[in-house]
Amino acid sequence: MSRCLVCVIYDGIYHSVFAGQVLVPLLKRLELDNNLWVCLVSFEKKLYSPEQLRGVIGFHPRLTVVIVKRYSFWGAYSLLPAVFRLRKILKSIGTYSITARGPLAGWIVRHAINRKLCTEIIIQSRGLVAEEYRYAHRGARGISRLIHALRARWYYGVERSVYGVPIEGVLFSIEVVSAALQDYLVGHFGTKNSWCTQAEFDVPARIEKNLVAAWRASVRSQLGIDLQTSVYCFTGAAKSWQCPELIADYFGQLQKKNRAIFFLVLTSDVEKFSALLGEVLLPKSYIVLTVNYQEIYRYLSAADVGIILREPGMVSWIARPVKAMEYEAVGLKVIHNNTVDWLIKRFGKIIIEP
């Protein structure tokens, strides 16, 4: 008898972590359980054609994708249209378990489920929405500053209601990515430790060394990098919290000590990183590429060292950087700047040199 898992996301199928942290784990579950059917409900700013969906998600006979219009967030009540739409979708399913990614999806799910038909709810906590919003708008001035402060309070209120109040009558848990995040939820939202589980299913598996070695030789040949050259890699975006200027400066300082190092940057922000690295690195000592997620491990295999640098603060401290897990999957040495608790626990404190 088939069972249905409903997965609700609010940050979209084009989010940078969707492929690795949402789609791949869902496909893995389908592979492990032939009786499982997955309904992925994604709230999006725009609607997509079937061709666009297949381009991002592909096809699986037991994976149904439903795209729902997402409206701007102006407090919890602005999520009510999403609640009504999800409630209608759930009525057509029957019995189901449900996973909600993040507090906004969690709030929608809490208000949309039928507790007689829902067997389990897992709310995935992957970060702190209010803190991230404050950080992103920390430079606002005047009336914009007041508006952003108000919206941050609304985000905080949603988080508190989702993480601080259990859902009675249904098997309920909150899946966190780090011990530091769990401590924050307990201290700020009244979350009970007994509600929390550590996320493990979405951790990328280690790739066989023989395959990594083959990819290493193939990609280095493709990019014109000698097999004996030390390659430092950064993968990510040019978002302020990923410290692109700090990455470029660090690479520049490394090259001053050793001109034989090669630098590989895998990013969607090619122009930004090309400009930054062009100011500090020698020509032909680096390359900036955009690659599909399906190719990310192949290209990472060409490197020796993966870099994760974050600004100090709570947003960084509670995180579990996806890129660090991808580095680890192909056996790269990971260098970080001691601003993420998960990285310190996993790789120890590191003295950055230079």
Side-chain angles (χ1 to χ4, degrees):
M1 183 177 179
S2 63
R3 297 177 296 102
C4 181
L5 167 63
V6 180
C7 179
V8 180
I9 64 174
Y10 201 79
D11 44 12
I13 62 173
Y14 282 93
H15 193 279
S16 60
V17 302
F18 171 78
Q21 295 292 290
V22 178
L23 182 59
V24 169
L26 289 178
L27 294 176
K28 182 179 175 182
R29 290 184 187 278
L30 289 169
E31 181 182 352
L32 294 173
D33 187 348
N34 291 327
N35 293 318
L36 182 66
W37 164 53
V38 172
C39 178
L40 173 63
V41 180
S42 181
F43 290 91
E44 304 278 351
K45 288 184 178 180
K46 58 179 290 187
L47 303 181
Y48 301 113
S49 68
E51 291 74 20
Q52 288 174 309
L53 290 178
R54 280 194 294 271
V56 176
I57 298 173
F59 171 78
H60 192 287
R62 288 181 284 117
L63 173 61
T64 299
V65 182
V66 181
I67 301 297
V68 182
K69 179 69 176 178
R70 185 179 84 206
Y71 298 96
S72 297
F73 177 79
W74 294 101
Y77 289 112
S78 66
L79 300 174
L80 287 177
V83 171
F84 298 142
R85 186 69 178 90
L86 180 60
R87 190 176 293 167
K88 184 176 180 179
I89 294 169
L90 294 177
K91 283 182 179 179
S92 67
I93 292 176
T95 303
Y96 53 86
S97 60
I98 194 163
T99 297
R101 185 176 176 85
L104 299 183
W107 195 94
I108 294 166
V109 164
R110 290 177 71 107
H111 292 82
I113 60 165
N114 181 328
R115 301 190 188 196
K116 294 180 180 179
L117 297 176
C118 182
T119 59
E120 181 181 12
I121 295 176
I122 298 174
I123 298 176
Q124 297 178 330
S125 182
R126 296 298 184 259
L128 300 171
V129 175
E131 290 294 329
E132 290 169 5
Y133 186 84
R134 290 189 183 99
Y135 178 86
H137 298 89
R138 63 195 184 282
R141 296 290 182 268
I143 189 66
S144 293
R145 183 177 181 178
L146 295 176
I147 292 173
H148 290 313
L150 180 59
R151 294 190 77 190
R153 287 183 61 185
W154 287 337
Y155 280 123
Y156 187 88
V158 168
E159 289 179 302
R160 184 174 55 193
S161 68
V162 169
Y163 297 135
V165 182
I167 302 176
E168 303 294 344
V170 179
L171 186 61
F172 164 72
S173 62
I174 298 171
E175 188 181 83
V176 298
V177 292
S178 70
L181 177 56
Q182 181 171 330
D183 291 342
Y184 186 97
L185 299 185
V186 171
H188 288 76
F189 302 132
T191 307
K192 303 298 182 185
N193 281 309
S194 59
W195 302 346
C196 297
T197 63
Q198 291 289 321
E200 296 180 353
F201 200 80
D202 57 356
V203 176
R206 289 278 188 141
I207 297 173
E208 293 183 5
K209 291 183 179 181
N210 290 342
L211 182 55
V212 171
W215 283 343
R216 177 185 178 89
S218 172
V219 173
R220 287 197 174 210
S221 174
Q222 172 189 332
L223 300 180
I225 305 171
D226 188 270
L227 283 175
Q228 305 308 314
T229 300
S230 293
V231 176
Y232 282 67
C233 178
F234 169 78
T235 176
K239 305 294 185 184
S240 59
W241 53 272
Q242 295 193 18
C243 304
E245 290 81 8
L246 190 58
I247 293 290
D249 180 67
Y250 179 62
F251 282 176
Q253 294 299 320
L254 283 172
Q255 191 173 74
K256 288 179 181 178
K257 286 193 167 187
N258 183 357
R259 289 196 171 197
I261 297 175
F262 192 89
F263 303 96
L264 173 64
V265 174
L266 306 176
T267 180
S268 59
D269 298 315
V270 171
E271 291 186 7
K272 174 72 172 180
F273 273 103
S274 295
L276 288 172
L277 297 180
E279 294 178 358
V280 297
L281 295 180
L282 296 171
K284 299 184 179 180
S285 68
Y286 67 92
I287 189 165
V288 183
L289 297 172
T290 297
V291 299
N292 294 327
Y293 178 78
Q294 291 79 4
E295 291 280 288
I296 192 70
Y297 292 111
R298 179 172 174 268
Y299 278 86
L300 287 178
S301 298
D304 301 289
V305 180
I307 306 297
I308 295 280
L309 302 181
R310 295 285 189 271
E311 289 187 1
M314 187 53 66
V315 171
S316 296
W317 186 251
I318 58 85
R320 185 195 62 177
V322 172
K323 302 310 176 185
M325 295 190 293
E326 292 173 350
Y327 294 157
E328 193 176 22
V330 295
L332 301 190
K333 178 182 177 182
V334 176
I335 289 181
H336 62 93
N337 60 339
N338 306 310
T339 58
V340 180
D341 181 65
W342 185 87
L343 291 175
I344 294 173
K345 286 185 168 66
R346 196 145 183 113
F347 304 108
K349 284 197 171 184
I350 294 177
I351 299 175
I352 296 291
E353 293 184 357

